[in-house]
Each structure stands twice: as structure tokens, then as C-alpha cells.
Amino acid sequence: MLAIPQIRLPRFRQPRYLAVLGVALGFVVCWSSGFVGSRLALAVDTPTLSLYAWRFALATLLAGAWALAATGRRNGGGWRPRALGFEALVGSLTVGGYLLAMLLAIESGVSAGVAALIGALQPLAATLLAGGLLGERPRPVQWLGLAAATLGAGLSVVDDLQGLGSAALWAYGLPLLAVAAVSLGSVLSAGRPASLPMSVRLTAQLAAATAVFGVAALWRGDGLPAPRPSVETLTVLAWLIVLATFGGYGFFNASLQRFGVSQSAALVALTPAATLAATALMFGEWPGALGIVGMAMGLLGAGAALASGRRHGRGAGGHVATASPTVRRKPRRVVRPSAPTTRRG
């Protein structure tokens, strides 16, 4: 009887790859859902800024309940006023300022897809931040990929001005202001290690965003009327709170921990394509020829940056104060001094 040799086939870690794909897909979907939610909010009876203030107020209550449940066993430790104030400052920029500028741009006539494409400039700022502060060294292919995605955003802006968009030229500067706000918040956050639990940080940042939109609504004269409990309003609030807020924050944190800053930034470059597809199907906002070319360039550029990305330095640690450092220093080995030698005369 012949002996059949046993051939060992390579084992593919399917759960691991599925987890990676799930994190990347969830991040792109939830991150782009914020732009679609801004477009949905325009159709609600409640003034948009007031609706967003209520959105963040409800999200703050949910995050605060999570924080109390998570830190209650430790006697409420970690709720330090100075650290909370710092997180509120970061949240006012990365959440409040960023979303306020984007929402005002969409209100002014900038299409949600193009706002997302201009927001895709954030990967370049994040890559610069990662190289300068977090020790990540992007490859030249990553720079080329992110530059191609940025050029695609510019082509889509031109396409929006020629056809679909009804905004003035100055309105396209609002998404750039949003990118500046989130980049500034990232710089502040990256320069200081996180000292609070994630749930507490999220609560402080959402509370700051509530204040930003509340002040903006009052300053514009919209007031803060309670949203009418209609099916449409509740759907928009659920979309913004579940998908855009907690989904976006959670998948953003998971992406930073798994991929690092540079590759997470490249994933952001994929969100405009998802936003354009959603707005085309839901609102009939189909891009023109330049918009399609810009979307294709964004996809190719982000794909190239993702494929060539490597994790260096501190990786996810310190970016927007969401993730814990992925690389920790090994404890120093304590060497006890030996007994002094006697000198022979």
C-alpha cells in the first residue's frame, strides 16, 4: 500500500482578515455617513444648527452614562478638571468646529459629496502630523497617492461649480476651514498623551461640540427649539447619533489602533467615493465627467497609499486623543551593583 505524503496547506487567518476588512469598511461607511446626515438634516423642520445642538446633547448624555458606568467602579477616578478642559478644547475643534464649517458649507449650496472630497485634504495634514510628531515615516508612494486623491478633490470642486452646485466660490473655503480646525485639534492632541479613559474623553468632546452648535444657533437667531418627534426627525437624529457619532468615533479609534495614523488617513480618502455614491442614490446628485474622474483619482490614490503604508513610531497613540499607544517602551532592566572589589596592595 502506497504511503500518501501529507501536504500541509498554508493556514489563512480568515477571522483576522475579516476583522481588518470590517474595521476598514465600517470606518468608511460611518465616516461618510456624517456628510449624508448633514444633507438629510436640511429637510427637517427644526433649524439645522439647533438640530445639531440637540444631536450632540443627546449623544453627550449617552456617552456620559457610558463613562459613569465605566469609571464608577474606580470611584469616579479620572474626572480631572484640567484634563477635561483640554479634551473639551480638542473636541471644540475636531468635532464642533469641523462639523460646523462642513454643515455651513452644505447649507450654502456645496454638495455633500464635494464637501467630503475637500475634507479628503485631511489625509495630507494628518500625514504631515504623523511624520512630524508621531514618528511615522510615509513612503513616497503614499505621498503620491494622497496627492492624487487631493487632485481628485479639486477636479470635483470644478465639476460642482460648473453643474450641480449652487454655492458661491467662497463657500468652498468652509470645508478648508473645517480641515484646518481638525488639523489644529490633532496637533494639540498629539502633543499631549491621553490621561483620561476613552469614554470620559468622548463625553468631554461631545459636550464641547454641543456648546459650539448651541452658541452658533443662538448667534444666528435660530434659537434652540426642541425637535418635533416626527418619524423624519427621529430618523435623522438616529442616523447622526448612531452612525456618524458613535459609529464614526468607534471605528476611527479601531482604525488608529489597527492601521496607524497614515493608513487611517488614507481610509479617509475613500470616504468621498462612498459619499458621492450615497448622495447620487438618495438625492439624485449625480456628478459630471470631472466629478467621476476626481472620484476615480481619489480611489486610486487612497488605494496606493493604503497598499504601501507601514506603521512606524507611536502609530495610533496620541492622534485626536482616541487611541492608546500601540508601541510601549519596555521596562528597563534593573541591574543591581555587584559587591565592590577590594584593591590589593
Side-chain angles (χ1 to χ4, degrees):
M1 188 174 181
L2 296 176
I4 301 176
Q6 296 181 356
I7 302 176
R8 294 185 177 181
L9 297 176
R11 295 182 178 179
F12 295 97
R13 300 179 179 179
Q14 188 175 3
R16 177 185 176 186
Y17 292 114
L18 288 178
V20 171
L21 179 62
V23 170
L25 183 61
F27 175 74
V28 172
V29 170
C30 290
W31 195 267
S32 61
S33 67
F35 298 98
V36 180
S38 299
R39 181 66 173 78
L40 290 171
L42 297 179
V44 178
D45 293 336
T46 307
T48 311
L49 295 183
S50 305
L51 182 69
Y52 265 64
W54 282 100
R55 163 211 176 172
F56 283 113
L58 294 174
T60 302
L61 291 177
L62 294 175
W66 173 32
L68 288 175
T71 61
R73 298 178 182 179
R74 290 177 290 181
N75 211 11
W79 296 76
R80 294 183 292 275
R82 181 176 297 181
L84 286 174
F86 176 78
E87 293 298 334
L89 174 62
V90 172
S92 64
L93 292 170
T94 60
V95 183
Y98 173 78
L99 291 179
L100 177 61
M102 285 293 186
L103 182 60
L104 291 177
I106 294 175
E107 275 190 343
S108 301
V110 179
S111 64
V114 173
L117 281 166
I118 300 177
L121 292 173
Q122 182 187 354
L124 286 176
T127 302
L128 285 172
L129 174 66
L133 295 178
L134 303 184
E136 295 190 3
R137 295 294 179 263
R139 292 181 174 182
V141 178
Q142 284 183 280
W143 283 112
L144 292 176
L146 294 175
T150 303
L151 180 59
L155 291 177
S156 296
V157 169
V158 175
D159 178 76
D160 199 54
L161 283 171
Q162 293 178 350
L164 173 64
S166 60
L169 182 60
W170 63 265
Y172 292 92
L174 291 173
L176 292 176
L177 182 61
V179 172
V182 72
S183 299
L184 177 59
S186 299
V187 169
L188 293 175
S189 177
R192 179 173 177 174
S195 60
L196 296 176
M198 183 194 304
S199 57
V200 178
R201 282 179 276 155
L202 178 59
T203 303
Q205 292 180 14
L206 292 178
T210 304
V212 168
F213 276 96
V215 171
L218 294 175
W219 180 76
R220 199 168 69 170
D222 295 340
L224 294 172
R228 297 179 181 179
S230 62
V231 175
E232 186 179 21
T233 302
L234 295 178
T235 301
V236 172
L237 284 175
W239 180 292
L240 292 172
I241 294 174
V242 177
L243 283 179
T245 301
F246 289 103
Y249 189 92
F251 278 108
F252 180 59
N253 176 63
S255 177
L256 286 175
Q257 290 183 341
R258 184 170 291 272
F259 304 127
V261 175
S262 296
Q263 288 182 286
S264 296
L267 280 176
V268 174
L270 292 174
T271 59
T275 305
L276 284 174
T279 53
L281 294 175
M282 297 174 65
F283 311 115
E285 296 180 354
W286 295 93
L290 283 178
I292 294 175
V293 172
M295 181 175 65
M297 290 185 65
L299 286 171
L300 292 176
L306 277 174
S308 62
R310 293 187 299 179
R311 294 171 63 177
H312 290 278
R314 285 191 291 164
H319 183 66
V320 198
T322 52
S324 58
T326 56
V327 179
R328 299 182 183 275
R329 294 182 179 179
K330 296 181 179 179
R332 295 183 178 179
R333 183 180 178 183
V334 179
V335 181
R336 295 182 179 179
S338 57
T341 57
T342 57
R343 186 175 182 180
R344 295 184 181 180

